[in-house]
Amino acid sequence: MRFQLLGPLALADGPDVVVLQPSKPVILLAALLLHANSTVSADYLQRAVWGEDQPATARAALQTCVLRLRRLFTKHGVTGTSIEAVPGGYRITAGPPTLDLLGFRDQVRRASALVRDPEAELYTLKDALSLWQGSLLANVRSDVLHRDEVPRLSEERLRAVERVCDLLLGLGRCGEALVDLWTATRVYPGHERFHEQLIEALYRTGRQSQALAEYRRVKGFLLDELGVDPSPSLRQLELSILRGEDLGAGGAVRAAVEPAPAPASAPAPVPGPTSRVIQGAAVSLPAAAPGAGRVPAVPHFTGREAEAAAMAARLTAPPPPGADGQRPLTVLVSGAPGIGKSALAQHVAHLVRDSFPAGRLLVRMTRADGHPRTADEVAAEVGAALGPGRAGERALLVLDDVVDADQVRPLLTPPDLAVVVTSRMGLGGLIATHGGWVHRLTAFTEAESYALLLAALGTERVEAEPRGARQLAALCGHFPAALRILTARLLTRPGLRLGDAVDWLGDDPLARLTLTDSPDHSVSGLFDRALGRLDPRLSEAFLRIGAGPPELLGEAGIADGPEGPDGTKDHPPVPEDVLEQLADAGLLEDGPPGPYRIHDLLRAHLRRTVRIRNRRTEKV
C-alpha cells in the first residue's frame, strides 16, 4: 500500500487507487504524512484539523480522530504503517516506497548527484515529477495546511521543473522544453526564470518575433501588476536576441547562475517603450518613435464604465480660456483597500494614451513594506523622468496609493501635467487647496460582478452555471479584490463546478479568499495591512465597532443601543470624529446624513481578529 500526497490524498495498491473523501481523519493523515518520521505536536494537529477556532474539547476530539483514522486504515487494508502516540503528539512512519513525497525527494537527491551526466539527470528528474498527480491536497479541507505546507511543496516542484527545462535547453532539445514552458509561464506569470527559458527556447527554434513578443508581454505584466522591471538576465536576453547572437546549447544553464557581461558598446536604440523603476517608482515613458510607450490595458477590466468615461473626458478636455499658468488638472480616485482604484486609474491612462504625447508615468507612492515614500524623493525622480524638453506637450502622472496630501502637493507644479491620484484617504485638504474631481469607489453592482466573472473565467464556464456564478459574487460581497482572488483560484482548477465552489467558499470565505502559492494575496492580508496603517487608537476603535452590534453605526448612534445588566451601556458612544476619520480612510461607507456601513467581508474580518485576540489573552 502506498500513500499519495502529491495530488488529491489517496491510497494506492498497485494499479488501484482510492481517493479519500474529505473528512477530519483525512486532514489528520495529511498533516502526519507531510511530516512523516517526525513527531507532530498535538497542538499543530489540532490547528490543522479545526483551524484557529478550535472546540474546547479539541484534545479529546483529536484522540477520537486518531481512532477514526486507524479504522480507515483497517477498512482499506493498510498494513505495515501505523500511527504512533509519542510524548507531545503523534508520528507516522513511511519511506520512499510507501509515500510519494519521500519518493520524489529521494529521486531529486539522486538527480543532483548526476550533474556530470545531463541525460541521466534529466531522466531521473522526469521520473520524480511523474509522481505529481494533480492539484495538491485538493480533497484535504484544511486552511492551515494549504497556507503553510502547500506553497512549500509547490516550490519544490517548481525547482525541479525549472531544472528540467535548463537541462533540455542545455542539450539543445528546445522544442521539447517549449511544451512545459508554455504551461509554466501561464500558471506562474510572476516566475521570471520560466519566462526567460521560454523566450530562449522560442528564439533558438527560429521564432525571433515570438520571443520578442513574449518578452514584451512579461515586461508589461511585471510593470503593471508588480511595479517592477524585468530582471537583468531577462533584459540581457532581449538584447542578445535583438543583436541576433547565437545563444548556443547550454546558454540557459549558464544564464541561470552567471548573466553574460554587458557589451562595451550597445546598438542603436530599437523603437518601442522605455521603462524603468526608480527606487520603487515604476515609470513608463515613450521612446522617440510615435505611439510607443503605451500603458497596457488592465487584464479583464470590467465595470466602472461611468467613472472611466467621466475621468477620460476630464483628462482630455481642452483647458479653459486663459488657463495658462494654472495648476495641473487633478483627478482623485478614493475608496476602500482592494476596491479597484489602481485598476481604474491604469485603465483610464490606457484609454487617454493618445492625448499625452509627452508620456504617461505610473509612480508607486508606498514602498513594498507599506511605508510612504517622501515627497522630495518622488518629486526629484519624477522631474528627472519627465526631463526638460517636453516643448509644451502634455504628460499624465498616475500617483498610486498616496498616503496623505503632503506627498502630492510638491508634484502639482507643471501646468502641462495631468495627475490621477489613487488613495484610500479622502484627501479633502488637497481638493480644497488645489481643486480637482473626486471619484469615490464602492463595491461592484451584481451586473459588474457577473461581467468580471465572464471576462476572467470565460463565457462557457460561467453561463453553464449562472446561478452559481451569482452566488459566488454574492459570497465575495461584490468586492473587486475578493473577486479577483476567487477567479485566480478557479482558473487553477478548471474542472471545479461553480456550484461546488459555492459550498467550498461559503464554509469560510475569509480563509478561502487567498492564493495558496502567494499568501500575501488574500482578503484578510489586505485588511490587516489597511488596519496597520491606522493610528493604534483609531484601529482599536474600529475593531470595537466592527465586533459590536450594528446599532453602533445606526443613524442615532449608540445612544439608543442596548444596556448592560447594571443599566450602563454595553458599548460606549463612538465619537463622530472617529467615525469620520474611519470613513475618510475608506473603511466605513457613506455616513451622515445616512448611517455608516461596514462591508460584510471587512466586518467578518474584524470579528475574527477580535476573537483570536481574546483567545490569546485568555490563554495568557
Side-chain angles (χ1 to χ4, degrees):
M1 188 68 71
R2 179 182 178 86
F3 295 103
Q4 293 184 347
L5 264 180
L6 303 180
L9 183 54
L11 299 174
D13 186 4
D16 299 321
V17 177
V18 176
V19 176
L20 300 175
Q21 293 300 309
S23 66
K24 288 181 171 55
V26 168
I27 297 173
L28 175 63
L29 176 59
L32 290 169
L33 290 173
L34 286 165
H35 302 276
N37 305 315
S38 300
T39 297
V40 186
S41 72
D43 285 342
Y44 180 82
L45 293 173
Q46 287 167 203
R47 282 190 288 111
V49 174
W50 288 281
E52 301 297 339
D53 296 322
Q54 299 175 25
T57 58
R59 185 59 61 96
L62 179 62
Q63 294 172 353
T64 302
C65 202
V66 171
L67 291 175
R68 291 175 60 194
L69 181 54
R70 286 172 175 156
R71 293 192 195 107
L72 187 68
F73 278 16
T74 302
K75 174 184 175 182
H76 291 288
V78 177
T79 58
T81 301
S82 62
I83 302 167
E84 304 173 73
V86 295
Y90 295 86
R91 179 176 60 205
I92 194 168
T93 303
T98 58
L99 177 58
D100 60 357
L101 174 59
L102 298 183
F104 169 77
R105 289 171 175 167
D106 185 63
Q107 288 286 78
V108 170
R109 279 193 296 270
R110 290 172 184 268
S112 66
L114 298 170
V115 289
R116 296 183 182 276
D117 188 347
E119 288 282 5
E121 183 184 1
L122 177 62
Y123 176 86
T124 306
L125 281 175
K126 284 195 167 187
D127 192 41
L129 288 167
S130 69
L131 296 172
W132 290 74
Q133 299 295 322
S135 183
L136 203 60
L137 301 183
N139 56 336
V140 179
R141 294 179 178 174
S142 168
D143 295 323
V144 170
L145 296 184
H146 281 274
R147 181 193 66 203
D148 298 341
E149 301 294 343
V150 168
R152 179 172 56 82
L153 294 182
S154 297
E155 187 61 32
E156 289 187 50
R157 178 181 176 276
L158 289 182
R159 286 200 299 267
V161 172
E162 186 179 304
R163 181 58 184 165
V164 163
C165 294
D166 274 341
L167 290 166
L168 288 171
L169 293 174
L171 292 166
R173 293 155 61 177
C174 301
E176 188 177 341
L178 283 172
V179 176
D180 291 330
L181 288 168
W182 280 120
T183 301
T185 52
R186 271 52 185 175
V187 175
Y188 304 100
H191 193 105
E192 287 188 69
R193 181 64 187 136
F194 285 147
H195 290 286
E196 186 177 348
Q197 292 170 321
L198 175 60
I199 292 167
E200 180 180 346
L202 287 168
Y203 175 66
R204 288 174 57 192
T205 52
R207 308 183 207 179
Q208 181 179 6
S209 60
Q210 277 187 270
L212 291 172
E214 182 65 14
Y215 176 84
R216 289 192 295 270
R217 193 189 71 80
V218 68
K219 180 179 179 180
F221 171 84
L222 292 171
L223 186 61
D224 293 341
E225 297 295 324
L226 306 178
V228 300
D229 267 355
S231 64
S233 58
L234 255 177
R235 296 199 299 271
Q236 178 61 40
L237 179 59
E238 182 209 25
L239 186 59
S240 297
I241 293 172
L242 290 171
R243 290 173 168 175
E245 294 178 359
D246 182 7
L247 298 181
V253 179
R254 289 195 301 273
V257 293
E258 186 178 6
S265 60
V270 176
T274 301
S275 303
R276 61 179 177 271
V277 173
I278 43 178
Q279 297 184 12
V283 180
S284 294
L285 292 171
R294 297 176 178 178
V295 178
V298 179
H300 306 310
F301 185 88
T302 54
R304 312 295 190 202
E305 292 182 4
E307 294 91 342
M311 288 174 62
R314 284 163 179 160
L315 291 170
T316 56
D324 292 344
Q326 296 295 312
R327 292 191 180 98
L329 173 68
T330 304
V331 176
L332 169 64
V333 183
S334 65
I339 206 68
K341 303 179 292 295
S342 300
L344 175 61
Q346 292 179 53
H347 176 67
V348 171
H350 176 69
L351 293 178
V352 301
R353 58 196 178 278
D354 295 333
S355 298
F356 295 92
R360 291 161 294 126
L361 282 69
L362 172 65
V363 184
R364 313 287 185 189
M365 300 298 285
T366 53
R367 305 183 191 280
D369 60 5
H371 287 86
R373 306 175 67 224
T374 66
D376 291 343
E377 172 189 5
V378 174
E381 291 168 358
V382 169
L386 285 173
R390 286 187 287 144
E393 291 185 332
R394 298 183 75 204
L396 175 64
L397 183 62
V398 179
L399 303 178
D400 191 38
D401 200 15
V402 168
V403 175
D404 56 47
D406 290 337
Q407 271 189 307
V408 179
R409 289 191 177 101
L411 303 173
L412 303 182
T413 50
D416 52 357
L417 187 69
V419 181
V420 176
V421 174
T422 77
S423 179
R424 299 174 187 178
M425 309 301 295
L427 301 184
L430 178 70
I431 300 301
T433 58
H434 285 71
W437 286 270
V438 178
H439 295 273
R440 188 172 179 89
L441 304 185
T442 58
F444 275 164
T445 64
E446 291 184 14
E448 287 175 325
S449 296
Y450 192 80
L452 188 150
L453 294 177
L454 281 172
L457 299 178
T459 302
E460 182 178 351
R461 188 175 182 185
V462 173
E463 293 195 342
E465 299 181 77
R467 184 169 178 271
R470 291 189 173 89
Q471 287 177 311
L472 287 171
L475 287 169
C476 289
H478 304 288
F479 198 68
L483 289 165
R484 291 282 182 184
I485 291 171
L486 172 68
T487 55
R489 295 207 66 172
L490 291 176
L491 283 170
T492 64
R493 300 182 64 182
L496 179 64
R497 293 182 62 256
L498 300 189
D500 294 335
V502 170
D503 296 333
W504 164 77
L505 180 61
D507 286 343
D508 192 346
L510 283 177
R512 302 283 159 76
L513 288 171
T514 183
L515 300 182
T516 55
D517 62 341
S518 182
D520 287 342
H521 288 81
S522 70
V523 170
S524 289
L526 179 71
F527 291 153
D528 278 334
R529 290 189 290 274
L531 292 174
R533 285 194 186 183
L534 293 178
D535 178 277
R537 290 174 295 180
L538 199 60
S539 178
E540 283 299 312
F542 191 45
L543 284 170
R544 181 165 60 87
I545 293 169
E551 289 85 355
L552 279 170
L553 296 175
E555 290 189 46
I558 197 62
D560 297 326
E563 293 185 350
D566 59 354
T568 62
K569 296 294 183 184
D570 286 340
H571 301 273
V574 180
E576 178 69 21
D577 68 313
V578 169
L579 296 176
E580 276 295 291
Q581 289 179 69
L582 291 171
D584 191 58
L587 298 173
L588 291 182
E589 300 171 2
D590 288 342
Y596 295 97
R597 299 194 312 274
I598 301 178
H599 190 278
D600 289 343
L601 282 178
L602 179 52
R603 184 183 287 278
H605 175 74
L606 295 172
R607 288 177 171 171
R608 172 174 287 187
T609 301
V610 170
R611 285 199 307 271
I612 293 173
R613 187 174 63 177
N614 289 344
R615 279 203 307 272
R616 289 173 179 165
T617 304
E618 289 168 4
K619 289 178 181 179
V620 173

